[in-house]
Amino acid sequence: MATCPICQKHPADAKYKPFCSRRCADVDLGRWFSGTYAIPVRDDEPTDDEGVAGQGAQTPSRRSFEED
């Protein structure tokens, strides 16, 4: 049985798989939120700002629903 990737002490619990507990699952989630983990991006891939094939992002216009 695989061990927990966070604490590496306990076997994974089916309820929190691949982690052993809610605590270890939350530690992992916190690492994603803080930027400790990141998915690498290649420099030649367009970003959200560049849009598809360098056409520029097409953001829908936003209307204000506030009354004057």
Side-chain angles (χ1 to χ4, degrees), residues 1-5 9-21:
M1 182 172 243
T3 59
C4 176
K9 295 179 182 178
H10 305 286
D13 183 332
K15 184 175 179 181
Y16 301 107
K17 195 173 183 174
F19 310 103
C20 66
S21 65

Side-chain angles (χ1 to χ4, degrees), residues 1-67:
M1 182 172 243
T3 59
C4 176
I6 300 299
C7 69
Q8 300 188 8
K9 295 179 182 178
H10 305 286
D13 183 332
K15 184 175 179 181
Y16 301 107
K17 195 173 183 174
F19 310 103
C20 66
S21 65
R22 173 73 185 252
R23 180 198 166 278
C24 285
D26 288 344
V27 167
D28 183 73
L29 184 60
R31 289 179 182 175
W32 280 104
F33 284 148
S34 70
T36 302
Y37 297 149
I39 298 172
V41 177
R42 293 188 339 209
D43 289 337
D44 61 341
E45 292 180 359
T47 62
D48 289 340
D49 294 337
E50 295 172 353
V52 177
Q55 295 175 354
Q58 303 208 356
T59 306
S61 61
R62 296 184 181 186
R63 296 185 300 175
S64 175
F65 293 102
E66 297 176 10
E67 293 188 28

